[in-house]
Amino acid sequence: MEGFEPKIVAFCCKWCSYAAADLAGTSRLKIKPNFVVIRTMCSSRVDPEFILQAFLNGADGVLVAGCHPGDCHYVNGNYKTLRRVMLLKKVLEQLGIDPRRLRLEWIAASESRKFVVTIRKFVDELKQLGPLRLEAGDDNGSNG
Amino acid sequence: MEPRIGVFVCHCGINIASTVDVKRVVEAIKGYPGVVHAEDYVYMCSDPGQELIRSRIKEKKLNGVVVAACSPTLHEATFRNTVSQVGLNPYRCEIANIREHCSWIHTDRDKATEKAIKIVKSIVEKVKLNDELLPISIPITKRALVIGGGIAGIQAALDIANAGYEVILVEKNPSIGGHMAQLSETFPTLDCAQCILTPKMVEVGQHPNIKLYNYAEVEDLSGYVGNFKVKIRLKASYVDWSKCVGCGVCMEKCPTKVPSEFEMGLTTRKAIYVPFPQAVPNKPVIDRENCLYFKTGKCRICEKVCTFGAIKFDEQDEFVEEEVGAIIVATGYELYPIEKIGEYGGGKYKDVINGLQFERLLSASGPTGGGVQRPSDRKVPKRVAFVSCVGSRDPELHKPYCSKVCCMYLTKHAMLYKHRVPDGEPIVFYIDIRSDGKGYEEFVQRAQEEEHVTYIRGKVSKIYEDNGELVLLAVDTLTGEPLEVRVDMVVLGMAIVPSPAVYELAKKLKIQIDANGFLTEAHPKLRPVETLTPGIFLAGCAHAPKDIPDTVAQASAAASKVLEMFSQKELQHDPMVATVDEDRCSGCGVCVTLCPYGAREIEVKDGKRVAKVNEAKCEGCGSCIAGCPAGACQQRNLKDEQLVNMVKAVLE
Ligand code: FES
């Protein structure tokens, strides 16, 4: 996998994780540009469909980030997110997509460092898994 | 609508331009489908920058705008306002965040530029399908509910009522006044609490705009900002207040004595009682728990002696419903129970009392007429210890926070004790003295230097009784010496805790409380008197321990927030709410269970079950949309199609 740079779509809720990514910028922390953030109001807006579309269109990984449990701006949206992501991970497996390619993280508005570290670790893990090849089945991890 | 989108890329001086090749972004986006114009400028948010956007909208007949600049948190409102000045719907303008999420966090110029292009493309995709929206307007009932009739609730109610709006004030006790009515004199001016409070209580009682429900509790709340419906339980008082003239004969003749709550158990009251002589309203209630008739079926003396026929033993709790537009929660505090402090006797020593009890001993209207006497034998104590931080600042065993007022009121206590007992010896034990208000430090200085109050820096580890005296064990942390101090009486500066009923109330109102049970504000600095639930505000010690000046200031602040709301014709609500495609909706009701705001309902329309959205209640989180199995729900300007197109754009 020499030179492989994974592509990540990061869904961030407006109130916490998007703000954490903003803070990473304001604090001039440095990350590799492997990801692009898409803002939703709450992590619970993220339809499993969007995640599947991301994989279908060439994403190697998808990050869903929301407020910590109990801190969701909309009372309990992130618990719904948690259930949906868990379920989707099972489905991904059946579709031959390594569930590690989908990550759920709670990142508070103040946790700019956690945002950076999350992306960094995700990039490293995806580098090990290699590019997602849908037709061939996603077993890059083992022979990668 | 055929998209005619203009993209405006900002350099932000060198903040963006040093890492992102702005010219390249402009070139790359020029040919993108839907984009008819692209250009860059050094500071897009400046006046000339905004003017540039405005003139291009007119020249190029743009029907959508993307500003590639800093985070939307900063200038989304600015640029939406800019475009609306030339007639473009503000919701047709979006921000591509290429500063915080790109130029500031990346170093490789080439890759950062590529990423910026992707970000811009995704936002162009979003704008293409953005609808022209108008804020949703909601009517407002211009009447406020204030819960709690202590100084916070009184101040808030008066401010709103004096501005010309009706106020419903609900107080759980028979009288308003709260804990402030129990205080003797107040720091740092030593003016008498009753003298400054009772006129305000009277004003509340007589105010034509205030409807007071005393001895009442909030039972239930429904509705939403501007349009709440509140159900109030009027507890049975067993006295017909419309007949009662407040002569007091019933209280005189009642044979049952119980410890008086108002006097902190230092004396008794009757089973039919007015909590204190200056009570507002000055009408008695029968305490059902202790009334002899309710306990044994015999007595009814009060009924016999009442010449007005005001006693009603068969009275039941009643319920009333009121419609209000805004709510202020001011439910106040209690003292942490002494029973929890085992090392100080846990309540078994009669002469170890709390601060409110000492207030009653100092008060001219208190059980001793203001003469300091110790509870056990009514002797005048010659040495009194005042202990601060009891239960406060103790994260291991009790409460982690500072109760804010104890340093000051114990200083006041020591001083007032000295005034009443000139040859007495007050000793204050403290950890450190927090005297951060106006005139507070000077007050403490005065106690130490002019009034000769002894201050010992050290926490008291144990209190026990020995030979009619109380012994305090402590270490003087300034000298390192262990101390054993013998006194006649001890006053404890107990931690302030939220009123216990607040937990249930918070659930009914759907507002948040913190780990210590205090109400949570929407933002600690910028929205200190709002809760996260629109239309519900907070004031006083229900929010955190605070002194009277801060409480009054906060109550006035909460009132002014309510008045700000009431000064508008209608409320404006973000239009990015959920929508339903009724043809697709199967009426399954999943959305109803997912919605945390009760904004979704199932309605039967032409014999078919369909889901509805209450736009005033919908906060636009989108969780019902992602959960709809039929794909019948969408969020305005954040439709599935938009999000999928955005995903595709960033992966191209
Ligand atoms: S708002 Fe952040 S997860 Fe709901």
Side-chain angles (χ1 to χ4, degrees):
Chain A
M1 279 319 127
E2 247 350 70
F4 164 61
E5 288 297 338
K7 282 191 253 169
I8 299 170
V9 176
F11 291 100
C12 292
C13 79
K14 168 179 171 162
W15 303 99
C16 278
S17 38
Y18 191 91
D22 271 357
L23 185 60
T26 329
S27 325
R28 310 296 198 280
L29 303 179
K30 297 296 172 217
I31 332 174
K32 285 196 156 186
N34 298 57
F35 70 100
V36 179
V37 170
I38 292 183
R39 180 173 77 152
T40 57
M41 295 304 275
C42 173
S43 66
S44 67
R45 175 66 186 95
V46 180
D47 194 311
E49 168 74 16
F50 307 158
I51 298 168
L52 292 173
Q53 283 290 349
F55 287 128
L56 276 174
N57 285 282
D60 300 297
V62 173
L63 169 70
V64 179
C67 315
H68 282 262
D71 285 352
C72 172
H73 188 76
Y74 304 98
V75 188
N76 52 16
N78 46 8
Y79 289 101
K80 294 159 200 162
T81 312
L82 176 66
R83 290 203 295 266
R84 284 175 194 147
V85 168
M86 294 310 230
L87 207 66
L88 186 62
K89 276 177 176 272
K90 296 236 157 72
V91 177
L92 289 182
E93 230 170 337
Q94 287 166 8
L95 294 174
I97 298 173
D98 193 309
R100 282 174 293 178
R101 292 184 183 277
L102 171 57
R103 253 188 195 232
L104 175 64
E105 291 287 346
W106 309 132
I107 306 175
S110 58
E111 293 178 324
S112 51
R113 233 158 249 292
K114 180 165 181 191
F115 184 84
V116 170
V117 171
T118 300
I119 296 282
R120 233 178 245 159
K121 283 196 181 148
F122 200 16
V123 169
D124 288 348
E125 188 167 11
L126 289 169
K127 278 193 174 171
Q128 294 207 332
L129 289 173
L132 172 63
R133 292 206 212 99
L134 282 174
E135 318 75 40
D138 184 23
D139 53 3
N140 302 292
S142 44
N143 60 21
Chain B
M1 166 172 28
E2 190 62 31
R4 294 186 60 79
I5 293 169
V7 177
F8 299 88
V9 187
C10 180
H11 295 225
C12 193
I14 54 160
N15 280 300
I16 292 171
S18 66
T19 329
V20 168
D21 183 344
V22 171
K23 297 279 180 209
R24 215 178 112 200
V25 176
V26 170
E27 286 317 309
I29 205 69
K30 263 188 180 157
Y32 195 73
V35 175
V36 296
H37 179 76
E39 88 181 273
D40 59 292
Y41 186 69
V42 61
Y43 286 112
M44 211 52 95
C45 61
S46 67
D47 273 347
Q50 293 189 45
E51 184 45 39
L52 181 109
I53 298 175
R54 281 191 292 259
S55 50
R56 291 296 179 266
I57 293 173
K58 287 190 281 185
E59 270 164 40
K60 309 269 171 183
K61 299 197 168 40
L62 303 178
N63 62 16
V65 163
V66 171
V67 184
C70 53
S71 169
T73 322
L74 290 158
H75 281 312
E76 187 178 81
T78 314
F79 289 116
R80 285 189 169 172
N81 188 32
T82 308
V83 306
S84 68
Q85 284 161 350
V86 285
L88 188 63
N89 184 283
Y91 294 91
R92 294 280 303 164
C93 168
E94 294 278 354
I95 310 296
N97 183 351
I98 60 166
R99 192 179 75 174
E100 280 82 348
H101 289 193
C102 190
S103 72
W104 273 352
I105 48 170
H106 303 317
T107 42
D108 183 322
R109 187 170 166 88
D110 208 37
K111 287 191 171 141
T113 306
E114 272 166 35
K115 179 172 164 181
I117 295 169
K118 286 182 191 168
I119 296 174
V120 175
K121 283 181 181 171
S122 77
I123 302 297
V124 169
E125 286 303 334
K126 178 168 191 309
V127 172
K128 276 186 195 170
L129 295 177
N130 264 7
D131 292 320
E132 295 184 349
L133 300 179
L134 288 174
I136 298 163
S137 7
I138 315 170
I140 323 171
T141 307
K142 294 184 181 177
R143 186 186 298 121
L145 168 72
V146 175
I147 308 172
I151 181 60
I154 288 174
Q155 182 68 36
L158 285 174
D159 282 2
I160 298 169
N162 286 338
Y165 298 101
E166 280 175 58
V167 178
I168 313 287
L169 177 59
V170 175
E171 165 58 50
K172 71 173 189 306
N173 288 319
S175 170
I176 57 171
H179 284 307
M180 187 176 166
Q182 294 176 290
L183 308 184
S184 56
E185 282 144 62
T186 55
F187 61 79
T189 44
L190 298 189
D191 41 359
C192 126
Q194 295 247 340
C195 312
I196 52 181
L197 179 68
T198 43
K200 276 184 183 285
M201 291 165 62
V202 173
E203 201 184 336
V204 166
Q206 295 174 346
H207 206 295
N209 285 342
I210 299 179
K211 197 192 245 181
L212 171 61
Y213 289 116
N214 59 310
Y215 212 40
E217 268 162 40
V218 169
E219 184 75 13
D220 199 18
L221 183 81
S222 60
Y224 48 88
V225 57
N227 301 274
F228 294 108
K229 268 202 187 68
V230 57
K231 191 171 168 196
I232 301 163
R233 174 193 290 270
L234 308 178
K235 296 184 276 189
S237 64
Y238 308 104
V239 177
D240 183 341
W241 290 332
S242 63
K243 290 185 182 161
C244 169
V245 296
C247 67
V249 176
C250 53
M251 299 189 272
E252 223 167 84
K253 301 285 187 233
C254 172
T256 312
K257 286 185 179 173
V258 264
S260 158
E261 295 85 357
F262 183 80
E263 298 295 353
M264 299 302 294
L266 293 172
T267 178
T268 56
R269 60 160 170 86
K270 297 297 182 64
I272 182 165
Y273 72 108
V274 170
F276 55 104
Q278 300 84 349
V280 171
N282 207 318
K283 302 286 164 83
V285 300
I286 295 179
D287 156 14
R288 196 190 162 106
E289 307 261 284
N290 292 298
C291 167
L292 207 56
Y293 170 68
F294 281 117
K295 275 163 71 177
T296 65
K298 280 194 207 99
C299 183
R300 299 182 87 128
I301 289 178
C302 50
E303 195 180 28
K304 278 168 224 144
V305 299
C306 180
T307 44
F308 302 94
I311 306 293
K312 288 195 299 189
F313 278 110
D314 58 353
E315 199 184 60
Q316 302 282 325
D317 287 6
E318 273 171 35
F319 294 93
V320 289
E321 246 189 34
E322 295 282 0
E323 288 181 9
V324 295
I327 299 172
I328 295 177
V329 188
T331 45
Y333 71 95
E334 292 299 329
L335 291 183
Y336 193 57
I338 197 167
E339 287 70 27
K340 302 224 175 186
I341 317 285
E343 60 275 29
Y344 296 172
K348 74 176 172 217
Y349 307 131
K350 270 194 155 174
D351 296 330
V352 177
I353 62 175
N354 66 34
L356 280 175
Q357 287 173 313
F358 197 62
E359 292 286 344
R360 295 315 300 151
L361 289 184
L362 291 170
S363 171
S365 64
T368 58
V372 178
Q373 297 168 4
R374 61 182 205 173
S376 63
D377 53 10
R378 309 211 113 209
K379 270 209 223 122
V380 176
K382 290 293 176 199
R383 279 185 116 194
V384 180
F386 299 89
V387 182
S388 70
C389 296
V390 185
S392 306
R393 302 176 69 195
D394 188 348
E396 277 84 43
L397 295 174
H398 305 290
K399 302 291 172 189
Y401 52 85
C402 164
S403 289
K404 195 96 196 270
V405 289
C406 326
C407 288
M408 291 309 297
Y409 77 65
L410 291 174
T411 297
K412 174 192 77 176
H413 283 170
M415 222 188 246
L416 292 177
Y417 164 66
K418 198 71 182 144
H419 294 176
R420 307 279 198 281
V421 188
D423 63 335
E425 196 188 330
I427 306 165
V428 176
F429 287 88
Y430 68 100
I431 301 183
D432 34 40
I433 296 174
R434 299 188 166 175
S435 52
D436 61 347
K438 189 173 176 178
Y440 290 9
E441 180 57 23
E442 296 89 321
F443 185 71
V444 175
Q445 293 288 331
R446 191 173 120 204
Q448 293 177 337
E449 284 157 21
E450 290 169 32
E451 314 258 2
H452 307 293
V453 176
T454 308
Y455 277 78
I456 297 176
R457 188 174 186 273
K459 201 167 160 68
V460 174
S461 58
K462 194 174 170 62
I463 299 175
Y464 61 92
E465 215 168 39
D466 180 42
N467 232 343
E469 284 185 326
L470 291 155
V471 186
L472 285 78
L473 302 183
V475 173
D476 183 332
T477 51
L478 294 180
T479 62
E481 234 177 288
L483 298 174
E484 196 185 296
V485 180
R486 304 180 83 85
V487 297
D488 301 319
M489 187 165 95
V490 179
V491 179
L492 301 178
M494 301 299 304
I496 279 186
V497 295
S499 164
V502 81
Y503 182 72
E504 283 303 311
L505 184 68
K507 269 204 269 177
K508 285 176 194 160
L509 304 187
K510 300 196 180 64
I511 54 177
Q512 266 101 26
I513 49 176
D514 67 19
N516 296 310
F518 291 108
L519 298 175
T520 310
E521 66 277 36
H523 187 283
K525 293 191 178 63
L526 304 178
R527 296 170 65 196
V529 298
E530 294 161 70
T531 67
L532 272 178
T533 307
I536 305 188
F537 306 89
L538 43 82
C541 288
H543 161 251
K546 52 179 69 74
D547 57 23
I548 296 168
D550 283 359
T551 298
V552 171
Q554 201 187 18
S556 284
S560 87
K561 280 283 159 197
V562 171
L563 294 174
E564 177 192 13
M565 219 177 112
F566 287 0
S567 70
Q568 296 164 45
K569 266 212 213 81
E570 288 171 321
L571 295 172
Q572 306 266 300
H573 187 62
D574 199 333
M576 284 172 53
V577 297
T579 59
V580 181
D581 177 344
E582 293 187 356
D583 294 334
R584 278 194 174 190
C585 175
S586 67
C588 69
V590 166
C591 53
V592 180
T593 51
L594 285 173
C595 180
Y597 302 101
R600 307 301 307 262
E601 265 167 34
I602 297 290
E603 218 179 65
V604 181
K605 205 173 163 187
D606 309 326
K608 179 181 181 281
R609 282 165 56 88
V610 285
K612 288 269 150 205
V613 178
N614 179 332
E615 295 195 343
K617 282 191 180 183
C618 175
E619 290 285 322
C621 64
S623 75
C624 58
I625 301 157
C628 176
C633 292
Q634 287 303 329
Q635 181 166 18
R636 290 222 187 104
N637 285 2
L638 214 55
K639 292 171 268 204
D640 286 0
E641 197 186 348
Q642 285 178 296
L643 282 156
V644 169
N645 290 350
M646 289 170 80
V647 167
K648 288 182 183 162
V650 304
L651 290 167
E652 247 174 27

